[in-house]
Amino acid sequence: MYVEPQKEHKWLEQLVGEWTCETEALMGPDQPPMKSTGVETVRSIGGVWIQCENRWQMPDGGPALMIITVGYDPAKKRFVGTCIGSMMTNQWVYDGQLDAAEKVLVLDTEGPSFTDPNKTAKYKDSIEIVSPDHRILSAQVQTEDGTWHRFMTSHYRRKT
């Protein structure tokens, strides 16, 4: 079986490389922002998938590892992927698309609610290309009233 990479696959290739990361996350309304730093390695899998391996320290000082895969499904005309991490038992399944300017990839997913572990919530992870050496990942959750709340922003800078 041979797959011809599409322009969307080529868009993902700009993420390939070694990156440093600075993150600020809001873990609750009564808590100060949590800041962390880490590293990420993004590999191409056959020019049609990327695999992102993120490593950083948790607030308690313990190590954290997250693996993200993203590809493009020409039959669905959608980006697809998954996210798993050492700090969670939920597998996040992505479905998304590029914005009209092809600068932001928005990945929709659903997972455990922050406010009620017995419920699920809708989430959006957005990857914005600022320049070839800088990108921003932001995460939002849809609240019960339907509004979107950004709870995390990460700046990735390519290692030189």
Side-chain angles (χ1 to χ4, degrees):
M1 179 182 266
Y2 175 74
V3 176
E4 182 69 35
Q6 308 288 306
K7 72 175 186 169
E8 292 85 359
H9 297 116
K10 292 177 179 152
W11 189 92
L12 291 170
E13 289 291 310
Q14 66 190 318
L15 305 177
V16 172
E18 301 287 328
W19 301 82
T20 60
C21 176
E22 295 177 357
T23 299
E24 183 170 293
L26 300 171
M27 302 312 289
D30 302 336
Q31 298 178 17
M34 179 190 81
K35 295 184 180 187
S36 63
T37 60
V39 295
E40 180 184 61
T41 301
V42 181
R43 297 174 187 86
S44 176
I45 301 174
V48 293
W49 291 92
I50 59 166
Q51 177 192 23
C52 312
E53 182 176 304
N54 295 277
R55 294 182 179 277
W56 72 97
Q57 282 192 323
M58 297 292 290
D60 67 1
L65 171 64
M66 192 162 42
I67 305 291
I68 298 170
T69 60
V70 182
Y72 180 76
D73 184 334
K76 293 180 179 179
K77 297 187 181 340
R78 304 285 292 176
F79 286 85
V80 294
T82 60
C83 175
I84 59 171
S86 62
M87 73 300 289
M88 60 184 116
T89 57
N90 183 64
Q91 178 186 36
W92 301 84
V93 177
Y94 286 132
D95 175 80
Q97 62 187 1
L98 286 172
D99 70 344
E102 297 185 355
K103 291 288 184 189
V104 180
L105 173 58
V106 179
L107 298 167
D108 298 311
T109 191
E110 193 169 315
S113 169
F114 287 155
T115 57
D116 184 346
N118 297 314
K119 292 183 180 180
T120 61
K122 292 182 179 181
Y123 294 86
K124 289 183 184 289
D125 286 352
S126 300
I127 302 170
E128 176 186 358
I129 303 300
V130 177
S131 74
D133 297 325
H134 180 206
R135 63 186 161 90
I136 300 170
L137 171 68
S138 60
Q140 299 178 72
V141 61
Q142 190 174 36
T143 61
E144 289 188 20
D145 68 5
T147 59
W148 288 93
H149 170 70
R150 183 180 289 193
F151 63 90
M152 187 205 67
T153 302
S154 298
H155 287 266
Y156 290 83
R157 289 185 169 75
R158 193 178 298 276
K159 288 184 176 182
T160 55

